[in-house]
Amino acid sequence: MDVLQIVAIGLIATVLIVVVKSQRPEMALLLSIAAGVILFLLVLGKIGAIMDIIRDLADRAGISMVYLGTILKIVGIAYIAEFGAQICRDAGEGAVATKLEFAAKILIMVLAVPIVVAVLQALLKLTT
Amino acid sequence: MGGNIDLIFKIAGVGILVAVLHTILKHAGKEEQGHLVALAGIAIVFVWVVQLLGNLFDQVKSVFKLF
């Protein structure tokens, strides 16, 4: 039962963070980062399995791997950026968190530009 | 997986130890040494957490094919 393990890790980490926080808030922050990374690593293997299935389905449906790869990259960037931003916000640095999310959005835009261009070219072909 | 969960306990242990040492040194009138102990604790734990984060980033890179 992975759920039980994950919930147990979360609860243990929470109790330890509350214990440490009053004396050493910076240690509590590192503890929460560690707990977050460990929980993320536990489910990352399953995300990988899902991604393999999606890739397989896309392959069968004849969707170009260029587009699917871009989408997967965007999902990965979003996951990591969200993770970092939440930690920053947890530590009370909302400004840094907002800038991190902004940077991630810019990176996602850069990745999405080829797809947007392809859509626009298809539209232009339809109109002419 | 067991090794992973150990890290949480290790960090909490260092945190509590540093807090206690800091308090003791402060009461003994050695405040600057107490601050050094706190700094050393942070550095040690930071190294562990950065290694863990590097591990996470590597795995995310391989799962989402981010290169």
Side-chain angles (χ1 to χ4, degrees):
Chain A
M1 288 297 277
D2 280 348
V3 190
L4 298 179
Q5 204 182 12
I6 286 167
V7 171
I9 293 174
L11 289 179
I12 290 168
T14 306
V15 171
L16 290 175
I17 288 168
V18 169
V19 168
V20 174
K21 196 168 224 159
S22 60
Q23 302 286 324
R24 300 263 116 215
E26 67 278 11
M27 211 58 108
L29 176 68
L30 288 170
L31 199 50
S32 84
I33 294 175
V37 172
I38 287 168
L39 290 177
F40 204 98
L41 281 175
L42 277 180
V43 289
L44 201 58
K46 310 224 182 299
I47 294 176
I50 294 169
M51 288 304 162
D52 284 343
I53 292 170
I54 290 175
R55 221 171 273 137
D56 186 46
L57 285 177
D59 205 29
R60 275 197 228 167
I63 298 171
S64 164
M65 274 326 258
V66 179
Y67 297 137
L68 193 74
T70 311
I71 290 169
L72 291 187
K73 272 183 194 161
I74 288 173
V75 173
I77 290 176
Y79 264 123
I80 285 289
E82 186 65 33
F83 182 83
Q86 274 172 357
I87 287 168
C88 293
R89 203 166 283 130
D90 238 23
E93 292 297 330
V96 180
T98 312
K99 270 145 203 140
L100 217 162
E101 280 171 350
F102 173 72
K105 277 172 195 156
I106 297 290
L107 290 179
I108 288 173
M109 272 287 277
V110 169
L111 278 181
V113 160
I115 295 182
V116 174
V117 169
V119 170
L120 287 179
Q121 270 176 350
L123 278 176
L124 282 176
K125 244 181 240 165
L126 280 182
T127 52
T128 50
Chain B
M1 255 172 217
N4 272 339
I5 299 156
D6 275 0
L7 191 68
I8 290 180
F9 290 122
K10 258 158 70 179
I11 294 172
V14 171
I16 293 168
L17 195 70
V18 163
V20 170
L21 279 177
H22 189 250
T23 316
I24 290 172
L25 286 170
K26 204 162 87 182
H27 280 287
K30 294 174 180 165
E31 203 144 315
E32 65 282 356
Q33 284 179 26
H35 285 303
L36 280 179
V37 167
L39 196 62
I42 301 294
I44 293 168
V45 173
F46 203 49
V47 168
W48 292 339
V49 170
V50 165
Q51 279 168 355
L52 197 66
L53 268 176
N55 190 2
L56 172 79
F57 288 170
D58 278 347
Q59 288 218 19
V60 168
K61 264 199 317 203
S62 68
V63 166
F64 294 102
K65 306 272 188 287
L66 283 171
F67 291 115

